[in-house]
Amino acid sequence: GGARAGMAAPGALEPAAGSVPGTKVELTVSCRQLRWGRVLGGPPSPLSLQFGRTEVIDNTLNPDFVRKFVLDYYFEEKQNLRDWGNPPWSHSAFFGAQDFLGQAFVALGEVIGSQRGPPTAVGQKGVPGKRCGTILLLAEELSNCRDIVTMQLCANKLDKKDFFGKSDPFLVFYRSNEDGTFTICHKTEVVKNTLNPVWQPFTIPVRALCNGDYDRTVKIDVYDWDRDGSHDFIGEFATSYRELSRAQSQFTVYEVLNPRKKCKKKKYVNSGTVTLLSFSVESEFTFVDYIRGGTQLNFTVAIDFTASNGLPSQPTSLHYASPYQLSAYALALKAVGEIIQDYDSDKLFPAYGFGAKVPPDGKISHQFPLNNNVENPSCAGIEGVLESYLQSLRTVQLYGPTNFAPVINQVAGIAAQVTDGSQYHVLLIITDGVISDMLQTKEAIVTASSLPMSIIIVGVGPAEFEAMEELDGDEVRLSSRGRYAERDIVQFVPFRDYVDDSGNQVLSMARLAKDVLAEIPEQLLSYMKTRDIKPRRADPE
Ligand SMILES: *[C@@H]1O[C@H](CO)[C@@H](O)[C@H](O)[C@H]1NC(C)=O
């Protein structure tokens, strides 16, 4: 799912379809001088943002949250902000704590404009304008670095901090920012009651560790964990990606130093040592790596021919095409198909209809070939699909019910035949959304979620698409009879969000296509990753 969140950019200037989107920006959130949440000093809760929430940090009024938010940022859309009542999500961050502490509104553009975002006032509930702390936002543009580091550390002879017992050590990693400040990027787990902890190996993207800059300082603090949140500082040391990576072949030992102890005690040597036990780098593959390596997208179309769409000859019908304008169905098909066909080398697209009475015997079919060829339902190009679709409109009788499961199972059956990553199936279902076989469809999607396939649902018409939203699985992972979908493979978008009054259809359709296809790369990657499939090497040209 995700289109609902990602697509809310109506009225924006659209970069040409297929062009590289804007840039990715990582937001880091801190608060300063929050008021106590409750009389008894309840802990400040996680901050919620409109697109996510931070973790909870107990017992502090000055939390530095580790969880980051990566946002797409489109410069082109900014100028349109003022045209809308509701700014698009990617430009506005809404903060409100669970035990409501206060809130602030800010445009992402403002945060990006000033390197460290302006401290933002947090108004208290019911007392607008009353300050109850500040939120600090740091936005940094992410470099395109795609490597992932796995490392493991241990420590020796750390200082004893606990009166009873030893210490409960953990590590906190910070990367340095361009302006010399530090941003938390990782915390290890706590190892209880030891001065010689061995932490679990962990992975971190290189861009999180150093934003792709191999020589940036990486600072590491060693703390003794305390139940009440007042963790004791044991010491610190600094390194860089480059230095860490040299350790691939040997152990590297760092002295942990506590500057205050060093000043006070003449004989102070160190507060222990930390040893890098292992360090390895793996490349994170992209969608493009797989496509270049020969993975084919196989595109299948399914079109809703149920009676709820209205008689195609009537102008009110969703299938109605005037001499001057395509129907909503045809528009959606064209918009999505024309982009996806670039990734499908034979450009033969199986196309089905469902929910109609089909000649010659007038039986209801939930999966009839639009080209009337049961042996080979493939149409040549999107033009071929359109032609067969119009042909079918003239020959079948719109009926019902609206069953999705048969087409989903059909494509899943084909997808199950080649699971080595060389083929990935995308099923586009265009529907008015009045689904009749919800249970069967959920079951079919849960089964399909372990196969190399994704499902795009475009909802046309004025319906409330609650069922479609549920299938999309953005809020709650889809399940059927106690079984959960392995991956999110459904993307739903309502067509009406893309029909603008200005009559500029071309722009709206480009945006529809972009939003509909937004999740396909990630869904493909999640399949490849869980199956441990690497891209094949690009064919030599
Ligand atoms: C998928 O697409 C590729 C390339 O276009 C084609 O060779 C292959 O036969 C297709 N697979 C199916 C099951 O249609």
Coordinates of all heavy atoms in Angstrom, one line a residue, residues 3-33:
A3 N 0.1 4.3 -1.4 CA -0.2 5.4 -2.3 C -1.0 6.5 -1.6 O -0.9 7.7 -1.9 CB -1.0 4.9 -3.5
R4 N -1.9 6.1 -0.7 CA -2.7 7.1 0.0 C -1.8 8.1 0.7 O -2.1 9.3 0.7 CB -3.7 6.5 1.0 CG -4.8 5.6 0.3 CD -5.4 6.3 -0.9 NE -6.0 7.5 -0.6 CZ -7.3 7.7 -0.4 NH1 -8.1 6.6 -0.5 NH2 -7.9 8.8 -0.2
A5 N -0.8 7.6 1.3 CA 0.1 8.6 2.0 C 0.9 9.3 0.9 O 1.0 10.5 1.0 CB 1.0 7.9 2.9
G6 N 1.5 8.5 0.0 CA 2.5 9.1 -0.9 C 1.8 10.0 -2.0 O 2.5 10.8 -2.5
M7 N 0.6 9.8 -2.3 CA 0.1 10.4 -3.4 C -0.5 11.8 -3.2 O -0.9 12.5 -4.1 CB -1.0 9.5 -4.1 CG -2.2 9.2 -3.2 SD -3.7 9.8 -3.7 CE -3.9 11.2 -2.6
A8 N -0.7 12.1 -1.9 CA -1.4 13.3 -1.6 C -0.7 14.6 -2.1 O -0.3 15.4 -1.3 CB -1.7 13.4 -0.1
A9 N -0.6 14.7 -3.3 CA 0.1 15.9 -3.8 C -0.7 16.5 -5.0 O -0.2 16.8 -6.0 CB 1.5 15.5 -4.3
P10 N -2.0 16.6 -4.8 CA -2.8 17.1 -5.9 C -2.4 18.5 -6.3 O -2.1 19.3 -5.5 CB -4.2 17.0 -5.4 CG -4.1 17.0 -3.9 CD -2.8 16.4 -3.6
G11 N -2.5 18.7 -7.6 CA -2.3 20.1 -8.0 C -0.8 20.4 -8.2 O -0.4 21.5 -8.5
A12 N 0.0 19.4 -7.9 CA 1.5 19.7 -8.0 C 2.0 19.7 -9.4 O 1.4 19.1 -10.3 CB 2.2 18.7 -7.2
L13 N 3.1 20.4 -9.6 CA 3.7 20.3 -10.9 C 4.4 19.0 -11.0 O 5.0 18.5 -10.1 CB 4.8 21.4 -11.0 CG 4.5 22.7 -11.6 CD1 5.7 23.6 -11.6 CD2 4.0 22.5 -13.0
E14 N 4.2 18.3 -12.1 CA 4.6 17.0 -12.2 C 5.9 16.9 -13.0 O 5.9 17.4 -14.1 CB 3.6 16.1 -12.8 CG 3.8 14.7 -12.7 CD 3.9 14.2 -11.3 OE1 3.2 14.8 -10.4 OE2 4.8 13.4 -11.0
P15 N 7.0 16.3 -12.5 CA 8.1 16.0 -13.4 C 7.7 15.0 -14.4 O 6.8 14.2 -14.2 CB 9.2 15.4 -12.4 CG 8.4 15.0 -11.2 CD 7.1 15.7 -11.1
A16 N 8.3 15.1 -15.6 CA 7.9 14.2 -16.7 C 7.9 12.7 -16.2 O 8.8 12.4 -15.4 CB 8.8 14.3 -17.8
A17 N 7.0 11.9 -16.6 CA 6.9 10.5 -16.2 C 8.3 9.8 -16.4 O 8.9 10.0 -17.5 CB 5.8 9.8 -16.9
G18 N 8.8 9.1 -15.5 CA 10.0 8.4 -15.7 C 11.2 9.2 -15.3 O 12.3 8.6 -15.3
S19 N 11.1 10.5 -15.1 CA 12.2 11.2 -14.7 C 12.6 10.9 -13.2 O 11.8 10.4 -12.5 CB 12.0 12.7 -14.8 OG 11.2 13.2 -13.8
V20 N 13.8 11.2 -12.8 CA 14.2 10.9 -11.5 C 13.5 11.9 -10.5 O 13.4 13.0 -10.8 CB 15.7 11.2 -11.4 CG1 16.2 10.8 -10.0 CG2 16.5 10.4 -12.4
P21 N 12.9 11.3 -9.5 CA 12.2 12.1 -8.5 C 13.2 13.0 -7.8 O 14.4 13.0 -8.0 CB 11.6 11.1 -7.5 CG 12.4 9.9 -7.7 CD 12.9 9.9 -9.1
G22 N 12.6 13.9 -6.9 CA 13.4 14.9 -6.2 C 14.5 14.2 -5.4 O 15.3 13.4 -5.9
T23 N 14.6 14.5 -4.2 CA 15.7 14.0 -3.4 C 15.2 13.4 -2.2 O 14.0 13.7 -1.8 CB 16.7 15.2 -3.1 OG1 17.7 14.7 -2.4 CG2 16.0 16.3 -2.4
K24 N 16.0 12.6 -1.5 CA 15.6 12.0 -0.2 C 16.2 12.8 0.9 O 17.3 13.2 0.8 CB 16.0 10.6 -0.2 CG 15.1 9.7 -0.9 CD 15.1 8.3 -0.3 CE 14.3 7.3 -1.2 NZ 12.9 7.6 -1.2
V25 N 15.4 13.1 1.9 CA 15.8 13.9 3.0 C 15.6 13.1 4.3 O 14.5 12.4 4.4 CB 15.0 15.2 3.0 CG1 15.1 15.8 4.4 CG2 15.5 16.1 1.9
E26 N 16.5 13.1 5.2 CA 16.4 12.4 6.4 C 16.2 13.4 7.6 O 16.9 14.3 7.7 CB 17.6 11.6 6.7 CG 17.5 10.7 8.0 CD 18.8 10.1 8.4 OE1 19.7 10.8 8.8 OE2 18.9 8.9 8.2
L27 N 15.1 13.2 8.3 CA 14.7 14.1 9.4 C 15.2 13.5 10.7 O 14.8 12.3 11.0 CB 13.2 14.3 9.5 CG 12.6 15.5 8.8 CD1 11.1 15.6 9.3 CD2 13.3 16.8 9.0
T28 N 15.9 14.2 11.5 CA 16.2 13.8 12.9 C 15.5 14.7 13.9 O 15.4 15.9 13.7 CB 17.7 13.9 13.1 OG1 18.4 13.2 12.1 CG2 18.1 13.5 14.5
V29 N 14.9 14.1 14.9 CA 14.0 14.9 15.8 C 14.6 14.9 17.2 O 15.0 13.8 17.7 CB 12.6 14.3 15.8 CG1 11.7 15.2 16.6 CG2 12.1 14.1 14.4
S30 N 14.6 16.0 17.9 CA 15.0 16.1 19.3 C 14.0 17.1 19.9 O 13.3 17.9 19.2 CB 16.4 16.7 19.5 OG 17.3 16.0 18.8
C31 N 13.8 17.0 21.2 CA 13.1 18.0 22.0 C 13.9 18.6 23.1 O 14.8 18.0 23.6 CB 11.8 17.4 22.6 SG 10.6 16.8 21.4
R32 N 13.6 19.8 23.4 CA 14.3 20.5 24.5 C 13.3 21.1 25.5 O 12.4 21.7 25.1 CB 15.3 21.5 24.0 CG 16.4 21.0 23.2 CD 17.4 20.2 24.1 NE 18.4 19.5 23.3 CZ 18.4 18.3 22.9 NH1 17.3 17.5 23.1 NH2 19.4 17.7 22.2
Q33 N 13.6 20.9 26.8 CA 12.9 21.5 27.8 C 11.4 21.3 27.7 O 10.6 22.2 27.8 CB 13.2 23.0 27.9 CG 14.6 23.3 28.2 CD 15.0 24.7 27.9 OE1 14.4 25.4 27.1 NE2 16.1 25.1 28.6

